[in-house]
Amino acid sequence: MSSTWTLTIILLVSSLLTLLPIVTGDENHHLHPLDPLTPSEINQVQTIIKQTFNTTSKDNITFHYVGLDDPDKPTLLSWLSNNPSNTTLPPRRAFVIVRLDRKSHELIVDLSSNSIVSKNVHEGHGYPLFNLEEQKLARMLPLTYEPFIESINKRGLNVSEVDCYGLTEGWYGEENSRRALKFTCFYMNGTTNFFMRPLEGITLVVDVDELKIVEYHDRVRVPLPKAEGTEYRWSLLNQPLGDPHLNHFSFDQPEGSGVKIEGHVVRWANWEFHLGFDARAGPVISLASIYDREQGKYRAVMHRGSISELFVPYMDETEEWYYKTVFDVGEYGAGQSASSLAPSADCPPNAVFFEGYFAGRDGKPVHVPNAICIFEHQSGNILWRHTEAELPETVTESRAEVSLVVRTVMTVGNYDYIFDWEFKPSGSIKIGVGLTGILGVKGAEYTNTDQIKGDVHGVLLADNVLGINHDHFFVFYLDLDIDGESNSFVKNNLVTKRVTNDNSPRKSYWTVESQTAKTESDARVKLGLEPSELVVVNPNKKTKPGNNHGYRIIPGSLSSISLLSEDDYPQIRGAFSRYNVWVTPYDKSEKWAAGQYVDHSRGDDTLAVWSHRNREIEKKDIVLWYTLGFHHVPCQEDFPVMPTLSGGFELRPTNFFERNPVLKVNPPTTM
Amino acid sequence: MSSTWTLTIILLVSSLLTLLPIVTGDENHHLHPLDPLTPSEINQVQTIIKQTFNTTSKDNITFHYVGLDDPDKPTLLSWLSNNPSNTTLPPRRAFVIVRLDRKSHELIVDLSSNSIVSKNVHEGHGYPLFNLEEQKLARMLPLTYEPFIESINKRGLNVSEVDCYGLTEGWYGEENSRRALKFTCFYMNGTTNFFMRPLEGITLVVDVDELKIVEYHDRVRVPLPKAEGTEYRWSLLNQPLGDPHLNHFSFDQPEGSGVKIEGHVVRWANWEFHLGFDARAGPVISLASIYDREQGKYRAVMHRGSISELFVPYMDETEEWYYKTVFDVGEYGAGQSASSLAPSADCPPNAVFFEGYFAGRDGKPVHVPNAICIFEHQSGNILWRHTEAELPETVTESRAEVSLVVRTVMTVGNYDYIFDWEFKPSGSIKIGVGLTGILGVKGAEYTNTDQIKGDVHGVLLADNVLGINHDHFFVFYLDLDIDGESNSFVKNNLVTKRVTNDNSPRKSYWTVESQTAKTESDARVKLGLEPSELVVVNPNKKTKPGNNHGYRIIPGSLSSISLLSEDDYPQIRGAFSRYNVWVTPYDKSEKWAAGQYVDHSRGDDTLAVWSHRNREIEKKDIVLWYTLGFHHVPCQEDFPVMPTLSGGFELRPTNFFERNPVLKVNPPTTM
């Protein structure tokens, strides 16, 4: 399948020799079936939906998800194989979730026919994404709520300095649930960093459908942490500044940029891929393929890759904290939470930026400027080298590495998450995450650890500030299609053997025993327990010497798994965090590891549930799920804003190419 | 201890505002007691030693190690605390190993008094480093050895196209051993990459003291792999070149370089350290300390850090391969094997270079131009950031990261190892290794995997070329002195707890149970088995809130341990590879994890043996040993030269600072 459409793309490339700037053309003239919905398409969807419901209802409709309904995989691949002679796109459709009369309605809207082609009311557990506006409306409610104002006054504080932030409630076995957020409030008064000043002991619950406070608790009084030392804004920091001083760089590419962008298709060095943007997933990398000079064509590597979920459970079972077990992607949306990237700070000066759009509460488009950046990166690494000192004259050949990085930042309340998709000319894709931003902290009476008796679930960071222990589990959806759709997951186990040959002085060695996963249960892996190389292979494609084409996973930092008990409610909902690696057969409906409706979910639509069907996965179109996990014991360096902690993993070609694909890469011209 | 000497250094810094170029001054006017031996000091050592032995002997003396004999730690720290008022250096001494009459002589030479102050003949097992010249002389021997010439002629080949390479023999339980190398030979004829063309089946053993062939085996005949496709030299590669094409960067620092170098002392941002160079260890980082603005002084982090050993066992027990279990640092020397770094390829254009010197076979200095490079690196990462979207006006603060990298490349025969010490302004030290160069391959009859029956110990990479399975275990010596010498090693184990509070809807959480290692056995760690943070703390120094100052280890990629049986000879010699982490009490004599004399060693002087004394390590001057391990199953992308595979680990401050040490770092001026 891939071999035909890749040829087409070469034709496209050769007809496109323009440099950098983003070629958008007519906003609705799509170049590619995976292009995200444009602002006018989002408007069109809104209009169609509002027309469908009756007059009374239409003002009460709230939008919770509007995104491209990807064409089915066969349709998409067939379009690709016929493009550009067949420039007609498959029908443009949107998948929409709206709330009306306390129900979640799922709609598929056909944009060409201006009609709703499918309608369904979700009857299962859980609720869709919270939209930004309802969060904002909800967090204003406490500020005019009498009992809350009274609590603030009693503490001698000023309600005009209060800011509240709503976390999802989770589910703890209750029969009936409500679409609600639980609010904790914070105090500014002299700092931007209100998250470091919790008004500990006060909790409000807001019914978000009704936008009403439905519960109020002022349970305990705890000293308010000081504002002093919490500021992070350059313009507001106290002297002296600039410590340590870093001399930054300016850089230039004498040969120009190597990045070519046409609509949402990105081409760089030997790579090409489609870059989408989704309210829930944020950036979506599709149809990533790499040009193979020996085969004279682009070869498929990854059909689709994106974050699927991010689960952040806190480790404090007490009344104000037990519920803090958020699912940032499924409850808040990585795209909705995308931060506009700051040029020359979030991304280097040579970065180019993509805009992001999603639907707001009213269904109208919301614009995220600079939602994604792409930059070529002279990584400082050596791509390959060798010094041959054994010859009469020493030979040194060395190549500096340049890679291409696709970056987004997702800010959910206090935390900032950096996501990097790095494409290397050697064929590797490195997925990196960085954790920065502000810790979730708890107000406490302590000013020194020697006052602490028992387990306080965290670390004392400053007077009255406890950084609470927690985890971050990122699960990535990686629909690898190594040279086509029929793939298998292979564990190459390294097994110690005793030497049986009496003539050998050696007593042992290890060898590779390959185990192809037949069904899903064979493919659940906890990293670090067994020495094994994990490879996705195409069992139908072999190199000349006869090795199966493959890509393997190289784990990096942050490969922890969940330590919660299996029967604990948050763990049931975030069950993907039990393993680092899962493999499932491709199913268009299985994209979100914690389920389609995550808020108040009950764990009945998760990766673990699907995987326990134990379907066959050998020689199938399979999806690899990788969980990157981090147990965070806070430390004082994380106060008042955290230096980035980075981790990630690498997908690396393994017998995918006949030989080193960067053997003939050009040395830098400055050599 | 550190608090006094750090003050001194501030004075030095403030008196030194010169920019980049390396200030060397008079070659022998040392600025620092840890400065490596200069060429004239190496010459002086040679003269003193030659004078000591009688006339007949002196021509037979060969030199195997000449290096600085570091002053004892108390002497050094006392000098530092008195500098610069006391500019007199502690006595300059060299530690030397020479061979004479088939014995290894250990000498300590005092350079100020021009005398040998200590003399010892090594009576134990094992031999010192092979010097480069004897390796070169030895590998010429086969080319004029009649039986070998006959073997080559019989194969229809031309001996003038042959190159041989000697690997150490190891030890396999034999009573008597010899100082010998085992040679495998290779065929050039149309390629620079002779390592890809083994003359499989022929082995020669050279007694290196006598420079005589003492064994010759022509056991089997195996097809010679083709030269075609093995070339990697840019000037000799076939068209088309430049694929994939990478557009490189030129860069500039408008504010100038931030690196300040005085002799061997490097200062950058908030870091300072001494950078030495040793024939065996290669680069040595000493006295790394970081400026703490709040305390107004430099604070000690690492007294000494260097590679200690690199163990590379192959996994093939057959006659020509079983012995291939080399110790690259202890047998070949990381400094002796340092490759001259290629500007703009091995290191970015803004790098500055250090020279390296070591003693040759005759005791005279050998020069390695560009042995080490140092460069500031705009890493592309975000140092920290936060977007505060909850305020009326969105606030974004973001800082681009710049770090300082110290890089060397060690080329031992076919393999090239890249070592990076990266200093981050946030206080982290990242130690990175990269593996590139040429695989160790075996000639074979196969041209397709379907011809292979049974275990061939590797992967068929091309016609007649098997890449043999092997490991790389790098062990780093890290004498951390966190805020002084008295340190402890703490495992912060994350332990799942059941919730016992009936009022909590949660069923579980994890908490930290700290375990301070009392003795060495408590501090042997296999990574990945237990969730734990590993921290070196100063138990006598606390932050204001009462947390112990510490640095923790964050493992990254490549954290495998050895799979060889414990009773296998190479494993006994390379026993450090059994654990990722070891901690020992500081002992000046314990620097080399596989022992002082590694060639033909028998495992009686290794990190494992020392550790099994089970000494006390709590509140002591302790040394952390970190093993970075990589099981290498070759793949076709590694042919004919390997794209770099990278791994490493991070030492990160944890309650070392009162707060984020980069809060007040300057934003890039281009913002």
Side-chain angles (χ1 to χ4, degrees):
Chain A
M1 185 74 72
S2 63
S3 56
T4 32
W5 66 261
T6 50
L7 186 64
T8 317
I9 285 153
I10 303 165
L11 297 171
L12 267 176
V13 172
S14 57
S15 70
L16 177 84
L17 290 167
T18 53
L19 270 180
L20 255 186
I22 302 168
V23 183
T24 41
D26 173 20
E27 184 195 86
N28 284 330
H29 175 71
H30 290 285
L31 298 164
H32 200 288
L34 295 180
D35 288 353
L37 299 180
T38 61
S40 66
E41 286 178 324
I42 294 171
N43 274 320
Q44 189 188 349
V45 167
Q46 193 240 23
T47 308
I48 297 168
I49 288 174
K50 290 243 170 182
Q51 280 164 356
T52 306
F53 290 92
N54 68 45
T55 329
T56 338
S57 299
K58 80 174 185 201
D59 296 329
N60 298 324
I61 297 171
T62 59
F63 286 76
H64 296 268
Y65 177 81
V66 176
L68 180 76
D69 182 36
D70 295 6
D72 289 339
K73 216 164 159 176
T75 309
L76 179 63
L77 295 177
S78 141
W79 178 85
L80 284 162
S81 68
N82 294 316
N83 187 43
S85 58
N86 174 7
T87 50
T88 317
L89 292 182
R92 295 278 292 171
R93 290 180 169 189
F95 176 70
V96 180
I97 302 175
V98 296
R99 291 280 294 174
L100 179 65
D101 301 334
R102 305 185 76 97
K103 285 193 176 346
S104 300
H105 299 255
E106 294 171 349
L107 310 158
I108 293 177
V109 178
D110 186 294
L111 288 160
S112 46
S113 63
N114 244 332
S115 63
I116 291 174
V117 292
S118 155
K119 239 177 166 177
N120 180 40
V121 174
H122 170 63
E123 303 286 0
H125 298 302
Y127 306 108
L129 291 178
F130 287 99
N131 58 53
L132 296 190
E133 197 181 342
E134 67 191 2
Q135 290 180 64
K136 197 170 172 178
L137 293 169
R139 74 189 175 82
M140 303 309 287
L141 297 177
L143 308 183
T144 53
Y145 184 67
E146 274 310 321
F148 180 72
I149 294 169
E150 207 173 294
S151 296
I152 295 303
N153 289 342
K154 266 201 292 190
R155 282 165 170 82
L157 302 173
N158 185 346
V159 82
S160 71
E161 293 288 340
V162 170
D163 210 331
C164 300
Y165 187 72
L167 286 187
T168 50
E169 286 194 301
W171 172 73
Y172 290 89
E174 64 275 9
E175 277 284 304
N176 300 308
S177 61
R178 56 191 177 190
R179 204 167 79 84
L181 286 169
K182 253 186 182 162
F183 282 80
T184 304
C185 298
F186 302 89
Y187 207 60
M188 294 181 282
N189 198 31
T191 184
T192 313
N193 196 351
F194 57 84
F195 281 118
M196 279 297 153
R197 308 193 73 194
L199 293 161
E200 201 64 43
I202 302 177
T203 308
L204 303 104
V205 180
V206 174
D207 179 312
V208 182
D209 280 328
E210 302 285 325
L211 287 171
K212 257 193 214 151
I213 291 170
V214 292
E215 277 185 41
Y216 180 71
H217 308 275
D218 181 356
R219 196 177 65 91
V220 285
R221 250 169 100 169
V222 175
L224 178 68
K226 290 183 288 225
E228 191 200 331
T230 63
E231 189 54 69
Y232 53 80
R233 292 183 73 174
W234 183 250
S235 58
L236 300 177
L237 283 173
N238 293 327
Q239 301 294 329
L241 297 175
D243 172 42
H245 186 84
L246 301 184
N247 290 11
H248 288 269
F249 292 76
S250 69
F251 34 101
D252 187 34
Q253 288 182 283
E255 303 163 273
S257 164
V259 187
K260 292 169 190 67
I261 296 169
E262 189 186 20
H264 290 267
V265 176
V266 179
R267 298 187 182 90
W268 171 81
N270 42 1
W271 279 103
E272 75 150 32
F273 55 87
H274 182 278
L275 176 58
F277 181 84
D278 178 73
R280 181 162 180 172
V284 178
I285 309 281
S286 300
L287 301 165
S289 63
I290 187 162
Y291 188 73
D292 182 333
R293 164 85 71 173
E294 303 202 20
Q295 294 197 16
K297 64 175 189 185
Y298 278 87
R299 294 170 60 199
V301 176
M302 186 171 71
H303 185 76
R304 181 188 165 106
S306 81
I307 183 84
S308 173
E309 192 51 87
L310 167 49
F311 172 39
V312 188
Y314 283 78
M315 295 300 142
D316 183 338
E317 85 289 8
T318 60
E319 189 160 335
E320 283 81 12
W321 278 78
Y322 77 88
Y323 67 89
K324 296 185 177 179
T325 56
V326 292
F327 290 83
D328 284 334
V329 172
E331 294 177 334
Y332 295 89
Q336 285 190 165
S337 306
S339 281
S340 287
L341 299 165
S344 293
D346 285 326
C347 312
N350 62 322
V352 291
F353 294 87
F354 282 73
E355 311 297 286
Y357 295 95
F358 59 86
R361 183 172 185 243
D362 58 2
K364 294 200 169 293
V366 177
H367 176 209
V368 188
N370 294 1
I372 309 178
C373 74
I374 294 190
F375 56 94
E376 283 179 283
H377 181 45
Q378 183 119 25
S379 67
N381 297 326
I382 300 172
L383 186 58
W384 61 262
R385 82 174 314 284
H386 184 55
T387 293
E388 189 47 76
E390 307 299 312
L391 297 175
E393 198 188 337
T394 296
V395 168
T396 292
E397 292 282 344
S398 178
R399 302 289 178 271
E401 185 185 67
V402 183
S403 61
L404 185 76
V405 178
V406 177
R407 175 171 293 169
T408 49
V409 170
M410 165 189 183
T411 304
V412 184
N414 49 312
Y415 257 105
D416 295 58
Y417 300 101
I418 303 159
F419 294 96
D420 283 351
W421 293 79
E422 184 178 3
F423 293 85
K424 291 177 179 277
S426 60
S428 283
I429 304 175
K430 269 191 153 170
I431 290 120
V433 299
L435 291 89
T436 176
I438 318 287
L439 280 175
V441 302
K442 182 175 182 175
E445 64 198 285
Y446 316 111
T447 53
N448 195 285
T449 53
D450 59 20
Q451 301 153 354
I452 298 176
K453 310 277 170 262
D455 190 350
V456 292
H457 311 299
V459 176
L460 191 65
L461 303 178
D463 288 358
N464 310 119
V465 180
L466 277 175
I468 299 298
N469 300 329
H470 59 282
D471 297 318
H472 302 266
F473 297 109
F474 305 79
V475 61
F476 287 88
Y477 174 97
L478 303 162
D479 178 5
L480 299 185
D481 280 4
I482 304 302
D483 251 341
E485 292 163 87
S486 174
N487 285 185
S488 294
F489 178 70
V490 176
K491 286 191 267 189
N492 285 327
N493 299 316
L494 309 191
V495 181
T496 302
K497 296 282 174 188
R498 286 300 283 188
V499 170
T500 51
N501 169 1
D502 287 343
N503 295 324
S504 175
R506 275 281 280 278
K507 297 190 175 173
S508 68
Y509 61 93
W510 57 255
T511 193
V512 177
E513 294 187 351
S514 291
Q515 196 186 339
T516 300
K518 306 283 180 209
T519 64
E520 290 173 286
S521 65
D522 299 334
R524 290 177 213 128
V525 179
K526 297 179 183 182
L527 292 171
L529 301 183
E530 300 288 337
S532 191
E533 290 200 341
L534 306 177
V535 194
V536 174
V537 301
N538 187 321
N540 307 311
K541 299 273 175 74
K542 285 184 193 295
T543 58
K544 279 180 212 140
N547 300 303
N548 280 118
H549 295 172
Y551 259 72
R552 71 189 169 101
I553 310 164
I554 303 181
S557 292
L558 317 187
S559 52
S560 302
I561 54 171
S562 181
L563 301 175
L564 292 176
S565 302
E566 289 214 45
D567 65 344
D568 204 356
Y569 296 105
Q571 186 58 39
I572 292 167
R573 301 173 63 222
F576 69 83
S577 59
R578 180 68 56 198
Y579 294 93
N580 296 102
V581 175
W582 309 69
V583 177
T584 57
Y586 174 82
D587 178 329
K588 194 185 171 186
S589 73
E590 295 175 3
K591 256 183 205 163
W592 311 110
Q596 175 72 273
Y597 294 88
V598 181
D599 171 46
H600 290 88
S601 69
R602 304 188 180 185
D604 46 24
D605 176 31
T606 70
L607 174 54
V609 170
W610 313 329
S611 169
H612 279 95
R613 283 184 219 146
N614 209 16
R615 294 163 291 185
E616 291 187 2
I617 53 171
E618 192 181 2
K619 298 192 185 185
K620 300 273 186 218
D621 186 1
I622 56 177
V623 175
L624 178 75
W625 306 76
Y626 187 92
T627 304
L628 224 151
F630 171 50
H631 303 303
H632 194 169
V633 180
C635 63
Q636 286 182 241
E637 285 79 2
D638 296 339
F639 177 89
V641 60
M642 295 167 44
T644 304
L645 185 84
S646 299
F649 61 101
E650 180 176 352
L651 301 169
R652 189 175 172 103
T654 299
N655 302 313
F656 181 83
F657 293 105
E658 291 291 335
R659 59 188 61 243
N660 179 332
V662 285
L663 180 66
K664 294 186 176 182
V665 80
N666 51 314
T669 48
T670 46
M671 262 188 84
Chain B
M1 188 75 73
S2 64
S3 56
T4 31
W5 67 261
T6 49
L7 186 64
T8 318
I9 285 152
I10 302 165
L11 296 171
L12 269 175
V13 172
S14 57
S15 70
L16 176 86
L17 289 168
T18 53
L19 270 182
L20 255 185
I22 302 170
V23 183
T24 42
D26 172 21
E27 185 195 84
N28 284 331
H29 175 71
H30 290 286
L31 299 164
H32 200 287
L34 296 180
D35 288 354
L37 298 180
T38 62
S40 68
E41 285 178 324
I42 294 171
N43 274 321
Q44 189 188 350
V45 167
Q46 193 240 23
T47 307
I48 296 168
I49 288 174
K50 290 243 170 180
Q51 280 163 356
T52 305
F53 291 93
N54 66 45
T55 328
T56 338
S57 299
K58 81 172 183 200
D59 295 331
N60 298 326
I61 296 172
T62 58
F63 286 76
H64 296 268
Y65 178 80
V66 177
L68 180 75
D69 182 37
D70 295 6
D72 289 339
K73 216 165 159 175
T75 310
L76 178 64
L77 294 177
S78 141
W79 178 85
L80 284 163
S81 68
N82 293 316
N83 188 42
S85 56
N86 173 8
T87 51
T88 317
L89 291 182
R92 294 278 293 171
R93 292 180 167 188
F95 176 70
V96 180
I97 301 175
V98 297
R99 291 281 295 173
L100 179 65
D101 302 332
R102 305 185 77 93
K103 285 194 176 346
S104 301
H105 300 256
E106 294 172 349
L107 309 161
I108 293 178
V109 178
D110 186 293
L111 289 160
S112 46
S113 64
N114 243 334
S115 62
I116 291 175
V117 293
S118 156
K119 239 178 163 174
N120 180 42
V121 174
H122 170 63
E123 302 287 0
H125 300 301
Y127 306 108
L129 291 178
F130 288 99
N131 58 52
L132 295 189
E133 197 182 343
E134 67 191 3
Q135 290 180 64
K136 196 169 172 179
L137 293 169
R139 75 190 176 82
M140 303 309 288
L141 298 176
L143 308 184
T144 53
Y145 184 67
E146 273 311 323
F148 180 72
I149 294 169
E150 207 172 291
S151 296
I152 296 301
N153 290 341
K154 266 201 293 194
R155 283 166 170 80
L157 302 173
N158 185 345
V159 81
S160 70
E161 293 288 342
V162 171
D163 209 331
C164 300
Y165 186 72
L167 286 187
T168 50
E169 285 194 301
W171 171 72
Y172 290 88
E174 63 274 11
E175 277 284 306
N176 300 309
S177 60
R178 56 193 176 189
R179 204 167 81 83
L181 286 169
K182 254 185 184 165
F183 282 80
T184 304
C185 298
F186 303 88
Y187 206 60
M188 291 180 285
N189 198 33
T191 184
T192 312
N193 196 352
F194 58 84
F195 281 117
M196 279 297 153
R197 306 193 73 194
L199 292 160
E200 202 63 43
I202 302 176
T203 309
L204 303 104
V205 180
V206 174
D207 179 311
V208 182
D209 281 328
E210 302 285 325
L211 286 171
K212 256 194 211 150
I213 291 170
V214 292
E215 277 186 41
Y216 181 71
H217 309 275
D218 180 357
R219 198 178 63 91
V220 286
R221 251 168 99 169
V222 175
L224 178 68
K226 292 183 287 223
E228 191 200 332
T230 64
E231 189 54 71
Y232 54 81
R233 293 183 71 174
W234 183 250
S235 58
L236 300 176
L237 283 173
N238 294 328
Q239 301 294 330
L241 297 175
D243 173 44
H245 186 85
L246 301 184
N247 290 12
H248 288 268
F249 291 77
S250 69
F251 33 101
D252 187 34
Q253 289 183 283
E255 304 162 273
S257 165
V259 187
K260 292 169 190 66
I261 296 169
E262 189 187 19
H264 289 267
V265 176
V266 178
R267 297 187 184 91
W268 172 80
N270 41 1
W271 279 103
E272 75 150 31
F273 55 88
H274 182 277
L275 176 59
F277 182 83
D278 178 72
R280 182 161 180 173
V284 178
I285 309 280
S286 300
L287 301 165
S289 63
I290 188 162
Y291 188 73
D292 183 333
R293 164 86 69 174
E294 301 204 23
Q295 293 196 17
K297 65 177 188 185
Y298 278 87
R299 294 170 59 198
V301 175
M302 186 172 72
H303 185 77
R304 181 188 165 105
S306 81
I307 183 84
S308 173
E309 192 50 88
L310 168 49
F311 173 38
V312 188
Y314 283 78
M315 295 300 141
D316 182 338
E317 83 290 5
T318 61
E319 189 160 333
E320 283 81 12
W321 278 77
Y322 76 89
Y323 68 89
K324 296 186 177 179
T325 56
V326 292
F327 290 83
D328 284 334
V329 172
E331 296 177 333
Y332 295 89
Q336 285 189 165
S337 306
S339 282
S340 287
L341 299 165
S344 293
D346 285 326
C347 312
N350 62 321
V352 290
F353 294 87
F354 282 74
E355 311 297 286
Y357 295 95
F358 59 87
R361 184 173 184 241
D362 58 2
K364 293 198 171 292
V366 176
H367 176 207
V368 188
N370 294 1
I372 308 179
C373 74
I374 295 191
F375 57 95
E376 283 179 283
H377 181 45
Q378 182 119 24
S379 66
N381 296 327
I382 301 171
L383 185 59
W384 62 262
R385 83 174 313 286
H386 184 55
T387 293
E388 188 48 74
E390 308 299 313
L391 298 175
E393 198 188 336
T394 296
V395 168
T396 291
E397 293 282 344
S398 178
R399 303 289 178 270
E401 186 186 65
V402 182
S403 61
L404 184 76
V405 179
V406 177
R407 176 171 293 169
T408 48
V409 170
M410 164 190 183
T411 304
V412 184
N414 49 313
Y415 256 104
D416 296 58
Y417 300 101
I418 303 158
F419 295 96
D420 284 350
W421 294 79
E422 184 179 3
F423 293 86
K424 291 178 179 275
S426 60
S428 283
I429 304 176
K430 269 191 151 170
I431 291 121
V433 299
L435 291 89
T436 175
I438 318 287
L439 280 175
V441 303
K442 183 175 183 175
E445 65 199 283
Y446 316 111
T447 54
N448 196 286
T449 52
D450 59 20
Q451 300 153 356
I452 298 176
K453 310 275 170 261
D455 190 351
V456 292
H457 310 298
V459 177
L460 191 66
L461 303 177
D463 287 358
N464 310 120
V465 180
L466 278 175
I468 300 298
N469 300 330
H470 59 283
D471 296 318
H472 303 266
F473 298 109
F474 305 79
V475 60
F476 287 88
Y477 174 97
L478 303 162
D479 179 5
L480 298 186
D481 281 4
I482 303 303
D483 250 342
E485 292 164 86
S486 173
N487 285 185
S488 295
F489 178 71
V490 176
K491 286 192 266 189
N492 285 327
N493 300 316
L494 309 192
V495 181
T496 301
K497 296 283 173 187
R498 285 301 282 189
V499 170
T500 52
N501 170 0
D502 286 344
N503 294 324
S504 175
R506 275 281 280 278
K507 296 190 176 175
S508 68
Y509 62 94
W510 56 256
T511 192
V512 177
E513 294 187 352
S514 292
Q515 195 185 341
T516 301
K518 306 283 181 209
T519 64
E520 290 174 286
S521 65
D522 297 335
R524 290 177 214 128
V525 179
K526 297 179 184 182
L527 293 171
L529 301 184
E530 300 288 337
S532 191
E533 289 201 342
L534 306 176
V535 194
V536 174
V537 299
N538 187 322
N540 308 310
K541 300 273 175 76
K542 285 186 195 296
T543 58
K544 278 181 214 138
N547 299 303
N548 280 119
H549 295 173
Y551 258 72
R552 71 190 169 100
I553 310 163
I554 303 181
S557 291
L558 316 188
S559 53
S560 301
I561 55 172
S562 180
L563 301 176
L564 291 176
S565 301
E566 287 213 47
D567 65 343
D568 205 355
Y569 296 105
Q571 186 58 39
I572 292 166
R573 301 173 63 222
F576 69 83
S577 58
R578 181 67 56 196
Y579 293 94
N580 295 102
V581 175
W582 309 69
V583 177
T584 58
Y586 174 82
D587 178 328
K588 194 184 171 186
S589 73
E590 296 175 2
K591 257 184 205 164
W592 310 111
Q596 176 71 273
Y597 294 89
V598 180
D599 172 45
H600 290 89
S601 67
R602 303 188 182 186
D604 46 24
D605 176 30
T606 69
L607 175 54
V609 170
W610 314 329
S611 169
H612 279 96
R613 284 185 219 146
N614 210 15
R615 295 163 290 186
E616 291 187 2
I617 54 171
E618 193 181 1
K619 297 192 186 184
K620 301 272 185 215
D621 186 2
I622 55 177
V623 176
L624 178 75
W625 307 76
Y626 187 92
T627 303
L628 222 150
F630 172 50
H631 303 302
H632 194 169
V633 180
C635 62
Q636 287 182 239
E637 285 79 1
D638 296 338
F639 177 89
V641 59
M642 294 166 45
T644 305
L645 185 84
S646 301
F649 61 101
E650 180 176 352
L651 301 169
R652 188 176 172 103
T654 299
N655 302 315
F656 181 81
F657 294 104
E658 291 291 334
R659 59 187 62 241
N660 180 333
V662 285
L663 179 66
K664 293 185 175 181
V665 80
N666 52 313
T669 48
T670 46
M671 261 188 87

